[in-house]
Amino acid sequence: MVAVSSWLRSPCPALVIDASGAVHSMNDAAKSLFPQRIAPHWRHGETVSVAERSYAVHRADNEDGSATWWLLDETDLLLERERAALLTRMSGALMMSLNPERCMTVVAELAAAHLADEVLVIAPPSVDGHPVTRCRRGEPPTYELRHVDVEAVAGLSEVLRGFPPVPSQWIDPAVAPEWLARDVSSIVVTPLPGHGVPAGALILMRRGERFSEGEEAFARLFASRAGVAISAASLFTQQAVITERLTRDLLPPALRRYEHVELAGRYRASGDTEHVGGDFYDVHELPDDQLFVVLGDVCGKGLDAAAQTGKVRTAVHALLQVVTDHDKMLHALNQALLTTDESRFITTVVGTVRPVDEGLHVTLTSGGHLPPLIVRASGAVEVAATKGTLVGILPRIVTATDEVVLAPGDSCLLYTDGITEACGGPLGDEEFGEDRLRRALTGCGGMPAEALVEHVHMLASHWIGGGAHDDMAVLAITAPRRRTS
């Protein structure tokens, strides 16, 4: 038999089974697990459950034919592995959404399923109150905005402030406000740490046994990951709102309807995933039913060009308060761009539209831009006699102004070089070109403004197919046909 040694005093349970399969001896740790000397039927390396704990069984053969069976307690290790796997699954579920409300809902559902009988997730307050998600185990979560008296819940105000860092706070259910909990035996408030700012509070409640220290520690680990997910969703939403508002201000405006003139525009940025770029158009109202129109192209593309576009549009709007003469306007804009750091030059064409008995009187002036095209109701296409130098690159610019009269059914088409320089066609390497555009417009006589810009936009889009392209902008000014009685 195995000699008596230190194995008898080992905290690790051990049993000696003789060659006949009977229990020969046990150490003290094994006796507490097996009060009756019943020979177990184990296999080397398997995991067995004894007294609600998990043990890995290892066999060591002795010289006399007996075997010593060692039981290594792996309960805590298995629990940690299970919790680590659970945290991994939870993290995956949390990162699936970048919507703060949805993210709070996922946090509440996961916590109710694995941590507590009832869960509240409370985010920092907004103008309309605290976002609050509540979930009871086995029930769907609810979300609401409510004004929470955070001082009525011990530790909640500190947790929502996030500084100084605070540990989990235990709350006596007897003094908890009615809106928080009913008929619970244990409440713990855990911080949800975010990206530099608190993401909120996780409140866990149980109706039976209290939380153990290990469960509380696990809850803090879960809360740290949940806070990061909620914070990321909130930051993404904030950035999306800011981007949407800035983009809305950088995009060409929706054009109003006027009694004496039809206006229509189309815009397409160079990148399929971008909404803004360097092309722009605007329409401003002047006294006596006149309109001031401007279309232009900032050097470059993408966000940098869009930022410059915003500056140019703002400058034009400001200058119109003091000057409407085209030459003076373009010279003032040239000086503004020359004195602005990191500015880009632009090409632009401006026009003043005035109703007259014959239809519309349109005055056009170019600052280095492509000349507008006049599409007569008959189908004839004329090129406006405008020319000029680039704006924002030379100390002085030279401009030339043309005046045209649009009879009912006639249109004036302003466009950027993204249309004529659109590269595509049968072989994918040919520019659409000014001549092809003019020929296409001969079939557009008498078209309403909306139909005209849509037609030009579609021609260019079909020409480039799926290829790369520059920003494209089109603006049509049309003299409405007179109604016959």
Side-chain angles (χ1 to χ4, degrees), residues 435-459:
D435 290 340
R436 185 175 281 105
L437 175 60
R438 294 171 194 168
R439 290 196 301 271
L441 291 176
T442 59
C444 299
M447 273 190 178
E450 280 285 348
L452 180 59
V453 297
E454 183 65 23
H455 181 67
V456 172
H457 187 267
M458 288 181 60
L459 285 174

Side-chain angles (χ1 to χ4, degrees), residues 456-473:
V456 172
H457 187 267
M458 288 181 60
L459 285 174
S461 297
H462 288 161
W463 185 258
I464 62 177
H469 59 87
D470 198 357
D471 301 324
M472 295 186 290

Side-chain angles (χ1 to χ4, degrees), residues 25-151:
S25 59
M26 308 181 185
N27 65 5
D28 292 340
K31 291 176 182 178
S32 64
L33 289 178
F34 306 99
Q36 298 180 349
R37 298 168 69 89
I38 300 176
H41 299 282
W42 295 326
R43 294 191 303 274
H44 176 74
E46 72 173 324
T47 299
V48 298
S49 179
V50 182
E52 299 183 352
R53 298 192 68 82
S54 298
Y55 295 89
V57 179
H58 297 272
R59 171 174 173 160
D61 292 326
N62 303 315
E63 294 179 356
D64 59 2
S66 65
T68 303
W69 292 83
W70 295 90
L71 280 72
L72 303 181
D73 192 340
E74 293 186 340
T75 306
D76 295 336
L77 176 60
L78 293 175
L79 180 59
E80 290 303 317
R81 288 177 178 173
E82 180 181 347
R83 287 175 173 174
L86 180 58
L87 279 176
T88 301
R89 295 197 301 271
M90 288 178 169
S91 297
L94 289 170
M95 292 303 176
M96 291 296 290
S97 176
L98 286 175
N99 176 280
E101 180 180 339
R102 174 57 185 159
C103 202
M104 289 177 64
T105 298
V106 172
V107 169
E109 288 177 324
L110 290 172
H114 301 287
L115 300 175
D117 297 313
E118 187 171 350
V119 175
L120 258 72
V121 180
I122 303 179
S126 63
V127 176
D128 300 318
H130 289 78
V132 178
T133 299
R134 181 188 294 270
C135 185
R136 294 182 178 89
R137 182 171 295 177
E139 298 181 11
T142 59
Y143 175 88
E144 64 176 334
L145 284 170
R146 66 177 299 163
H147 293 281
V148 175
D149 182 7
V150 296
E151 301 299 335

